[in-house]
């Protein structure tokens, strides 16, 4: 009888494990409640922590009364969906933080620097016995988390993914409450960072024996060893796909596990598979298992053909399938060479990159997935093939998009250091993102002025390099210096921030074996469509027009050398030196905050080749001329230069044609040969009319471009682009003859075309923007907007 009972129990356990083998990842973004707390006092902060036996004293204390308590009444709180950045809705103030865009958040504003979030949810009774955890991809910042009154933990950084086991705290078949407190009193960066739960949240379910979060490491090695000295290049016809898997047993008893891995191609076909015996895993233990399988003639991932595979990992515990885990990967070979720069699959690829912060007009740092991808697509139009995540780990969906689009990535750690907190954050970034084929380097830090000149900077960078290698032996480490040489000495790949600050050629002579790239380089951009200083009751200077907008053209023509035609100077320098892997311009898009060298009323930077909404500035066409094979012919400035009649104006043309002829108001100003990686310019006297450029190749006219002085704006033209979960609606203003008006500043009302779409926010690229940028009501069906220099943008999403 005893034997039969044991067999019945074993059979029941096997059936339970099999039934629980389906891993679930549930989006947890909708219908959160939000309210401001108060950073000045716990008593004003909903009494957080002031209770007798507070949340730090006892687990789920019966005395809890704050928002984390199930009995707390949050009926008056606002309902929001994630991603959510509460700073978007705050006003601007001249005394607020310059680096964070003059928004009323931070230590001066305790009433708007703490945000509370609550969400009720139900876990089905049949989930009892599963391992259940919450994953927060990013909360800015200083976050504390509770479930059903149980305090889960604290994460100071706003850029770290947080994972919390909640299995034992749940009310199965009943209502549960998760509560988050975020405190943005202190800044973590020197740029706009927003505040709140600005990345996704996930509710995960799996059986007790499962692949740990971020528990696979998939990487390729090739059968024939490759020497960078070989002229033939690597033999990439046979790859060994290595799979390291961490399996955890979250149950209360031991189990014996094994693994099966299957490589699946983009069409869903099984390519090959392998098995690995794991062994006995004790309760609450995590074990690592290594497996490998050969892949013949793999379809390689590249910028032009970003082909992705999946590895399907099956976990068997005591003979039953308990978990299925997917890892997206790409098979490729990367290398850096001190003479040839960066090589992808044995071929030199010049890095044509940009630095990017994560924020966008109308939504701040809470960027929807589709908008992340749309931003990359705008950069690709102008030839960009690389992205540096300045200066923090990226949103996971952004890296997914880089994988799909063939964008090469330097992912950057937030803070340089070698203590437990620093290294754990570094490890969490690498562990989370090491399977992405787009990532080619880990960056240990940026412009650490206090150490980059000192020997201790060398020691710190050396230690961080070794930690990077320990966490991921397949990639190299870089660090960026503003000018100090010490921190670059131990780096696998040196990062030079600005050629005017770093003696790159001298470093080449002193360190001939060094691999290097331009981690930052100045674009020299200003305000889209502004070519002359516009005074606002103040005396204009070479660095401040007085109205928060910077002349993008004539200032640089007549300004100091450090500002003149920077974008061309930078690209020529790196293009002419094969040993440098490429460069990353500062920046791809404008971003809120750090409006240097200007001050309020400026609220946004103007360094981007695209403005805050992604509308291109003139400099973007310089890059398109030399970074793409697309025919380009772009004239600047526009010809609506009211108030400058009779003045001499320098007319520039960006193009990749062999020669260009310019005609102004019927007068031929001559044909000129286009220098490689250069531009052309003519001097003309401004008079309303037109400018026409004709581009020649091999002596034949192949294209032309004409700009005209327009009339007043009369009507808008809307364009709608759908990318993933969002629609980007852009508007341009036209005159009565159908010509775009590049100076039009018009008020419009926007309404989505159908009622099942909601307005997320809007913008227009004005660096002195201080409008209300999203509806006060979550489901408002219209919003007033203002064009800036002819353009505006509204972001909408399916309800």
């Amino acid at each position: 009888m005893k034997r039969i009972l044991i067999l019945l129990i074993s059979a029941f356990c096997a059936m339970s494990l099999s039934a629980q083998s389906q891993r679930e990842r549930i989006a947890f973004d909708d219908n959160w409640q939000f309210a401001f707390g108060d950073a000045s006092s716990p008593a004003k902060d909903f009494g957080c922590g002031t209770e007798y036996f507070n949340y730090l004293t006892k687990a789920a204390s019966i005395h809890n009364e704050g928002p984390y308590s199930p009995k707390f009444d949050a009926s008056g709180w606002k309902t929001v969906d994630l991603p959510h950045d509460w700073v978007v809705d705050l006003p601007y103030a001249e005394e607020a933080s310059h680096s964070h865009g003059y928004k009323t958040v931070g230590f001066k504003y305790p009433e708007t620097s703490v945000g509370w979030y609550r969400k009720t949810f139900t876990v089905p009774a049949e989930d009892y016995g599963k391992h259940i955890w919450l994953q927060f991809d990013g909360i800015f910042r200083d976050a504390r988390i509770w479930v059903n009154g149980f305090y889960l933990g604290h994460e100071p950084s706003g850029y770290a993914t947080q994972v919390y086991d909640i299995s034992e705290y749940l009310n199965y078949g009943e209502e549960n409450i998760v509560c988050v407190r975020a405190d943005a009193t202190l800044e973590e960066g020197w740029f706009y960072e927003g505040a709140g739960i600005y990345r996704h949240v996930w509710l995960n379910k799996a059986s007790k024996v499962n692949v740990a979060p971020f528990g696979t490491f998939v990487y390729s090695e090739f059968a024939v060893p490759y020497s960078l000295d070989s002229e033939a290049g690597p033999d990439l016809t046979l790859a060994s796909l290595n799979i390291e898997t961490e399996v955890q047993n979250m149950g209360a008893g031991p189990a014996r596990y094994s693994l099966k891995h299957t490589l699946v191609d983009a069409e869903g076909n099984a390519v090959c598979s392998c098995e690995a015996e794991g062994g006995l895993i004790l309760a609450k233990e995590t074990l690592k298992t290594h497996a490998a399988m050969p892949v013949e003639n793999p379809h390689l991932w590249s910028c032009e053909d970003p082909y992705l595979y999946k590895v399907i990992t099956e976990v068997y515990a005591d003979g039953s399938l308990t978990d299925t885990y997917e890892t997206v990967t790409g098979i490729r070979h990367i290398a850096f060479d001190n003479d040839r720069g960066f090589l992808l699959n044995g071929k030199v690829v010049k890095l044509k990159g940009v630095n990017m912060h994560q924020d966008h007009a109308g939504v701040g740092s809470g960027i929807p997935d589709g908008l992340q991808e749309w931003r990359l697509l705008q950069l690709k139009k102008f030839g960009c093939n690389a992205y540096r995540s300045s200066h923090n780990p990226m949103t996971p969906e952004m890296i997914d998009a880089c994988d799909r689009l063939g964008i090469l990535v330097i992912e950057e750690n937030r803070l340089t250091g070698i203590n437990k907190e620093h290294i754990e954050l570094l490890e969490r970034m690498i562990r989370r993102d090491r399977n992405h084929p787009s990532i080619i380097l880990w960056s240990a830090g940026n412009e650490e002025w206090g150490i980059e000149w000192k020997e201790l900077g060398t020691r710190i960078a050396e230690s961080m390099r070794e930690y990077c290698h320990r966490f991921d032996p397949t990639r190299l480490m870089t660090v960026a210096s503003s000018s100090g040489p010490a921190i670059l000495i131990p780096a696998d790949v040196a990062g030079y921030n600005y050629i005017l600050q770093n003696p790159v050629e001298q470093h080449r002579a002193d360190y001939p074996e060094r691999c290097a790239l331009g981690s930052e380089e100045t674009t020299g951009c200003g305000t889209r469509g502004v070519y002359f200083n516009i005074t606002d009751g103040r005396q204009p200077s070479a660095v401040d027009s007085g109205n928060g907008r910077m002349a993008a053209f004539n200032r640089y023509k007549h300004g100091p050398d450090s500002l003149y035609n920077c974008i061309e100077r930078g690209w020529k320098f790196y293009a002419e030196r094969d040993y440098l892997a490429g460069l990353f311009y500062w920046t791809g898009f404008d971003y809120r905050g750090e409006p240097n060298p200007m001050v309020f009323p400026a609220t946004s930077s103007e360094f981007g080749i695209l403005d805050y909404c992604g509308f291109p500035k003139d400099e973007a066409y310089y890059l398109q001329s030399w970074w793409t094979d697309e025919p380009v012919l772009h004239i600047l400035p526009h010809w609506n230069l009211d108030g400058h009649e009779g003045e001499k104006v320098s007319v520039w043309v960006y193009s990749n044609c062999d020669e260009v002829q310019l005609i102004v108001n019927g007068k031929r100003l001559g044909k000129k040969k286009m220098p490689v990686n250069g531009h052309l310019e003519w001097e003309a006297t401004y008079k309303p009319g037109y400018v026409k450029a004709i581009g020649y190749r091999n002596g034949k006219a192949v294209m032309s471009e004409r700009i005209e002085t327009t009339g007043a704006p009369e009507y808008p033209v809307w364009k709608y682009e759908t990318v993933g979960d969002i629609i980007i609606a852009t508007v341009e203003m036209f005159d009565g003859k159908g010509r775009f008006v590049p100076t039009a500043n018009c008020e419009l009302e926007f309404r989505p075309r159908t009622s099942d779409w909601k307005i997320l926010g809007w913008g227009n690229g004005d660096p002195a923007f201080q409008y209300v940028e999203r509806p006060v009501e979550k489901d408002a069906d219209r919003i007033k907007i203002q064009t800036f220099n002819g353009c505006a943008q509204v972001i909408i999403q399916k309800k």
Side-chain angles (χ1 to χ4, degrees), residues 732-761:
E732 294 182 338
M733 298 302 301
F734 287 79
D735 70 2
K737 294 183 178 181
R739 299 173 297 191
F740 171 67
V741 184
T743 54
N745 299 315
C746 306
E747 184 176 281
L748 303 170
E749 181 178 88
F750 174 82
R751 300 182 65 178
R753 291 183 292 183
T754 58
S755 61
D756 57 342
W757 289 88
K758 62 183 178 182
I759 300 168
L760 295 184

Side-chain angles (χ1 to χ4, degrees), residues 461-529:
E462 182 179 54
S463 290
M464 294 195 76
R465 180 195 67 202
E466 294 309 304
Y467 279 116
C468 287
H469 293 173
R470 174 70 62 87
F471 304 143
D472 177 9
T474 72
R475 293 178 178 88
L476 299 179
M477 163 270 200
T478 186
V479 66
S481 174
S482 64
S483 57
I487 201 168
L488 296 177
I489 292 172
D492 296 318
V493 179
Y496 296 123
N497 281 12
Y498 310 107
I499 56 177
L500 291 185
Q501 297 175 192
N502 282 277
V504 178
E505 291 286 78
Q506 184 60 50
H507 283 204
R508 174 64 171 173
D510 294 341
Y511 306 100
E513 300 302 312
R514 172 180 287 178
C515 299
L517 52 78
S519 39
E520 292 181 20
E521 193 53 53
T522 307
T523 62
C525 295
T527 305
R528 172 178 54 82

